[in-house]
Amino acid sequence: MAWFGRRKDSESEPEPVGELELASAGDQLVDDGESLRPIVKGLGPDEKARIDSALADLEAEGVDVDDLSSLSEGLDKAYAAWASGDEDSRPDHAAIVERYAIGIGSHLDRKTDLDWQVVTDVFGTDLSLTEGFKGSFVVVPHNLVAGRWMRGETGWIPAVVGHIIRRRTRR
């Protein structure tokens, strides 16, 4: 189903779109003079604990974070179990996404010149990987995993993460 198209057999005109009122957008807009450049901060104890916890959970699942095939197989298996499970008894998909996002991020942290950081930009604050404190190249692993999870994609980790690794080199 096309959400933004008209059916070919429809003779009616599309409904007009109202003018955008910027004043009603509230704090959703970037103020004049405000930088679009991300703000990068080092990890604090809470972020380090999140990473350590997720890595321990992945290890308990038998996932080798240093092996993209192992990460891929683990995520695909977790997705298949979640998707085939009863809706009322499924595990929390956000926790699964978190584990595998951190697994991918840790893989990139170990294999590239990117480092774990806390990055704040116009989209919010995320546990991310970037080059030092510059923030000119940012990878948000949660976005990589969550977007594909919503679409039910599997087998994507080696190609997508492998591409990032080929573009970035370890110092």
Side-chain angles (χ1 to χ4, degrees), residues 66-143:
D66 291 317
D67 179 4
L68 289 180
S69 294
S70 180
L71 276 166
S72 185
E73 290 166 13
L75 178 59
D76 292 353
K77 182 179 173 185
Y79 179 80
W82 179 86
S84 66
D86 177 39
E87 212 169 306
D88 294 328
S89 61
R90 285 179 176 164
D92 179 14
H93 74 278
I96 299 169
V97 168
E98 165 91 352
R99 271 195 313 276
Y100 283 91
I102 288 176
I104 288 169
S106 293
H107 187 90
L108 291 171
D109 181 55
R110 296 172 185 181
K111 306 287 183 179
T112 69
D113 64 337
L114 303 172
D115 298 301
W116 277 118
Q117 307 285 350
V118 176
V119 177
T120 301
D121 61 14
V122 295
F123 301 108
T125 300
D126 291 295
L127 189 56
S128 307
L129 292 106
T130 187
E131 48 194 339
F133 289 95
K134 293 186 264 180
S136 58
F137 184 90
V138 176
V139 176
V140 182
H142 283 78
N143 291 351

Side-chain angles (χ1 to χ4, degrees), residues 2-63:
W3 290 8
F4 300 108
R6 290 188 300 162
R7 290 180 21 183
K8 290 184 181 189
D9 63 341
S10 174
E11 296 299 323
S12 64
E13 290 296 315
E15 292 183 31
V17 177
E19 288 293 317
L20 176 64
E21 290 184 41
L22 297 180
S24 68
D27 62 359
Q28 301 295 316
L29 297 175
V30 178
D31 291 331
D32 290 339
E34 196 172 342
S35 174
L36 295 177
R37 172 179 275 177
I39 298 167
V40 180
K41 293 195 279 188
L43 299 180
D46 291 343
E47 292 85 16
K48 290 177 184 177
R50 272 177 67 192
I51 292 169
D52 291 343
S53 176
L55 293 177
D57 290 344
L58 289 170
E59 185 177 352
E61 286 181 39
V63 174

